[in-house]
Amino acid sequence: MKSRKMLSEPIAYFLFIGMGFWFCFLCFAVETLTKQGNILWTGSYIGRLMAGSLAAGALLGGLFCFFLYRSARAQSRTATAAPESRMACGRVFAGALLLIVLCWFPAYLAYYPAICAYDMPIQTGQIVSGSYNDHHPLAHTLLVKGAMDLGRNLFGSVNTGIGLLSFLQLLFLASAFAGGIAALHKHGVRVWVQILMILYSAVFPFHMFMSVSITKDTIFTGFFMIVLLALCILLRKGENSLRPGRADFPLFLGAVGIILFRNNGKYAMLVLLAVLALVLLFGRARRRLWGRLFLCLAAAFLLGNLILSALFYGLNAQQGDKREMLSMPIQQLARCMLYHGGVGVLPEDDNTMSDEDKALVGDFLLDEGYKEYDPRISDPVKSHTNTYVVRYRTLEFAKTYLHLLLEYPGDFINAALALNAGYLSPFDVTHSAVNQDSGEKGLGYVQTRWVEEELDVRGIYQDSKWEGLHESLEEWADSNSYLKIPVLKYLFVPGTWLWLCLLTAGYLLVHRRFGMCVPLALFAGYYITLFLGPTVQLRYIYPVMAALPFTVLLCKCEVRKGK
């Protein structure tokens, strides 16, 4: 791309230096907080932090921007490469799918019938009892039920049904990755980049573990990728028409899947819809295309929610506890009680909270639940939460929350930083041991825990077909071995991916490819739900890990003439 098509350099430098500042600011703050346990946001500390962050951020952001413009000028002096021969995308898809499945299949044999960690004990408990609630997506719970019933009725073994579901899930996720490879080939991405992406898809260890983990997040990741791939393809094609094309159907289907297979999927979709609505209202070009995308995704959003409502009433399900949505306020209020409530847990407690505020927090966090506070995860305190206070004493709760926020902003910031440290800083390692304090195996960053006493009685049991590999994979997961890999470990840690998203947005803005920023709105919406969530886990960040590399390549590379 010629440099005259880019933003002016002063604006670009300001953008990337600002991004570098926030990167350094958050990394320095997270490091201080994790080492010291608390930050006193005094004027002198803020001044030192801002000065150091500005100096380091200016260096990082300035260098990135310098090389970005240098690269753009070099490309402008180079002749455009001729389009590559158009190999059938079907053959590329089939070849990539076969290679990925072959690389993942050993994990399937090692963990047969599947990795039944995370929410499987709870969901199978609902299935056996017939008492459902929507805390976990009903669509996924019914999928597990269908596999159990099929195994029992057709094969005489529930375990076989779960093994079949695990394999079909592996195929679905592998197909999403293969579709990404085919899309890269179709749009003329360089061959060596395609090879790298095939290797990333096939041998990145987290793909292997997640492909055989029976959890809603794996299927959600597949649909997440489908939406982003279809959206990128439609934007690159650029047809300014209201008439649907081939990519509209997977876009619609993927959006419905996002709604059905994660409760926070609807909120991520709302952000994407809001951005599309703004582009449609204020954009000058391709308004028919923007309208078509908005209508397609709005219809998918409506259908997904209608299906959820039908499942809810058809199963006579109960509403799940909404305390998950209160994870951030729970952490912030618990931290305030420990540092200012006079509860006698910390020597730093100054007992400056008013009796009125203490009383409401005590009603909200029952049985002195705030004493269970763990800065890395909200679950210990969350189990004591009385959501009645928020639902039926809303104004009183909001008044107390805002008063404490104004009174103790530093504690609110510390609670938020500690809970999201793994998402914010690539150098954070606290995320890897959030669930390992109990000493129980299978609770590392890659979770593989098997709750035998609950699953065995339901006909689901471990039946590894490759025990040696199973033991090796368990050791790798339990010891968080990904942190021991030099340099490459930063592709494994969650904090890297936020900044890759932001750098991609900056790159597209500087190159004035504003329309191609729209797919990033789905990442933004999803990240908002992560920041308000209960902790940092692999399965939460995994959709970003899977989809972002393909999105970056499809948004970044030029639309070549003749393609």
Side-chain angles (χ1 to χ4, degrees):
M1 178 178 287
K2 297 180 180 179
S3 59
R4 64 182 176 83
K5 293 184 180 180
M6 300 174 71
L7 288 180
S8 65
E9 289 194 43
I11 297 176
Y13 273 97
F14 178 81
L15 174 66
F16 284 105
I17 288 174
M19 197 180 300
F21 167 80
W22 282 111
F23 173 78
C24 295
F25 184 94
L26 291 171
C27 288
F28 292 156
V30 164
E31 183 181 10
T32 302
L33 187 60
T34 53
K35 285 183 177 179
Q36 299 180 4
N38 192 41
I39 294 177
L40 295 177
W41 294 89
T42 61
S44 60
Y45 174 77
I46 294 174
R48 292 195 306 272
L49 178 61
M50 292 186 68
S53 300
L54 183 58
L59 179 62
L60 289 176
L63 284 174
F64 185 87
C65 194
F66 171 78
F67 286 111
L68 178 63
Y69 273 84
R70 183 175 181 179
S71 174
R73 294 187 184 104
Q75 290 176 16
S76 68
R77 294 192 296 267
T78 304
T80 303
E84 299 174 17
S85 60
R86 183 172 289 186
M87 184 185 298
C89 286
R91 288 197 297 171
V92 174
F93 173 84
L97 176 62
L98 179 61
L99 179 61
I100 293 170
V101 170
L102 288 176
C103 288
W104 293 357
F105 193 70
Y108 174 73
L109 295 177
Y111 282 103
Y112 185 87
I115 295 176
C116 295
Y118 302 114
D119 303 319
M120 268 293 279
I122 299 173
Q123 288 179 278
T124 53
Q126 292 183 21
I127 293 167
V128 171
S129 67
S131 177
Y132 297 91
N133 69 64
D134 64 355
H135 181 71
H136 304 293
L138 290 171
H140 187 258
T141 302
L142 287 180
L143 188 64
V144 175
K145 181 181 185 301
M148 294 173 67
D149 291 344
L150 180 66
R152 183 186 300 109
N153 298 329
L154 189 61
F155 304 107
S157 168
V158 171
N159 220 40
T160 302
I162 294 297
L164 178 60
L165 173 60
S166 176
F167 183 69
L168 292 176
Q169 175 184 271
L170 183 151
L171 284 178
F172 174 65
L173 186 62
S175 296
F177 280 99
I181 301 298
L184 297 180
H185 178 82
K186 177 181 179 181
H187 292 282
V189 175
R190 298 181 185 278
V191 174
W192 68 268
V193 177
Q194 294 181 48
I195 294 173
L196 282 180
M197 289 305 300
I198 291 174
L199 291 174
Y200 171 73
S201 303
V203 303
F204 191 63
F206 292 167
H207 300 330
M208 180 174 58
F209 280 102
M210 291 301 296
S211 70
V212 295
S213 294
I214 302 294
T215 173
K216 61 201 174 192
D217 306 271
T218 300
I219 298 177
F220 174 83
T221 297
F223 284 119
F224 194 80
M225 292 183 67
I226 289 170
V227 167
L228 286 162
L229 290 172
L231 193 56
C232 289
I233 289 170
L234 285 167
L235 291 175
R236 287 180 63 86
K237 196 173 183 181
E239 291 182 352
N240 190 25
S241 170
L242 286 172
R243 185 177 180 179
R246 288 184 179 181
D248 290 74
F249 178 71
L251 177 67
F252 179 84
L253 180 65
V256 172
I258 283 178
I259 301 297
L260 293 180
F261 284 93
R262 269 204 71 92
N263 291 336
N264 62 343
K266 66 181 72 174
Y267 304 113
M269 284 296 301
L270 279 174
V271 173
L272 177 58
L273 284 170
V275 170
L276 281 172
L278 291 174
V279 174
L280 178 61
L281 287 173
F282 299 106
R284 297 180 180 179
R286 299 195 296 178
R287 302 191 76 171
R288 291 183 179 181
L289 173 62
W290 299 121
R292 170 176 141 203
L293 294 176
F294 179 82
L295 290 174
C296 176
L297 291 174
F301 183 86
L302 178 61
L303 178 60
N305 282 284
L306 287 174
I307 293 173
L308 286 178
S309 297
L311 292 177
F312 183 85
Y313 290 108
L315 294 170
N316 195 27
Q318 302 296 315
Q319 270 200 343
D321 199 325
K322 301 302 181 184
R323 68 185 67 189
E324 194 88 359
M325 301 170 64
L326 299 170
S327 296
M328 184 60 70
I330 287 170
Q331 292 293 91
Q332 291 169 329
L333 295 178
R335 191 176 185 101
C336 279
M337 285 294 289
L338 292 182
Y339 281 90
H340 308 288
V343 298
V345 174
L346 299 175
E348 300 95 326
D349 187 349
D350 57 19
N351 193 21
T352 55
M353 282 178 63
S354 68
D355 292 337
E356 183 181 358
D357 290 340
K358 291 179 188 178
L360 186 130
V361 175
D363 291 341
F364 180 52
L365 305 177
L366 299 173
D367 304 319
E368 298 185 327
Y370 42 79
K371 292 184 177 180
E372 303 292 327
Y373 175 73
D374 182 335
R376 304 167 301 172
I377 182 170
S378 66
D379 287 0
V381 180
K382 190 169 62 182
S383 61
H384 298 275
T385 304
N386 177 18
T387 55
Y388 174 94
V389 175
V390 179
R391 294 182 62 184
Y392 300 106
R393 297 167 60 186
T394 307
L395 292 178
E396 188 180 356
F397 177 83
K399 178 183 176 182
T400 297
Y401 183 83
L402 291 175
H403 176 256
L404 292 175
L405 171 61
L406 295 174
E407 189 74 18
Y408 309 111
D411 295 281
F412 274 57
I413 293 171
N414 288 343
L417 285 177
L419 189 61
N420 291 300
Y423 294 138
L424 299 174
S425 172
F427 310 107
D428 173 75
V429 294
T430 61
H431 66 272
S432 63
V434 167
N435 295 292
Q436 289 184 318
D437 291 342
S438 64
E440 188 176 353
K441 291 185 176 181
L443 288 176
Y445 184 50
V446 180
Q447 291 191 29
T448 61
R449 182 181 61 162
W450 191 281
V451 186
E452 293 183 5
E453 60 272 17
E454 295 185 26
L455 295 176
D456 284 4
V457 297
R458 296 163 192 165
I460 305 172
Y461 55 90
Q462 291 177 307
D463 187 22
S464 175
K465 309 301 181 184
W466 194 342
E467 187 56 41
L469 179 60
H470 175 258
E471 292 176 359
S472 297
L473 291 175
E474 284 287 277
E475 182 180 355
W476 191 88
D478 280 341
S479 60
N480 291 320
S481 295
Y482 67 97
L483 292 173
K484 303 172 185 176
I485 305 174
V487 183
L488 287 179
K489 69 180 179 182
Y490 293 109
L491 288 178
F492 293 80
V493 298
T496 300
W497 297 87
L498 171 66
W499 299 102
L500 289 177
C501 283
L502 293 174
L503 284 174
T504 302
Y507 177 94
L508 294 173
L509 290 173
V510 167
H511 282 81
R512 303 181 66 87
R513 305 193 68 188
F514 304 126
M516 296 306 294
C517 291
V518 169
L520 299 179
L522 186 60
F523 289 103
Y526 187 65
Y527 260 110
I528 291 172
T529 67
L530 293 185
F531 291 148
L532 298 175
T535 189
V536 177
Q537 281 194 2
L538 167 62
R539 63 173 177 147
Y540 297 156
I541 194 65
Y542 182 65
V544 179
M545 288 182 168
L548 184 61
F550 293 99
T551 306
V552 168
L553 290 171
L554 288 172
C555 290
K556 172 184 174 296
C557 60
E558 289 295 322
V559 181
R560 295 181 179 179
K561 295 180 180 180
K563 291 296 283 184

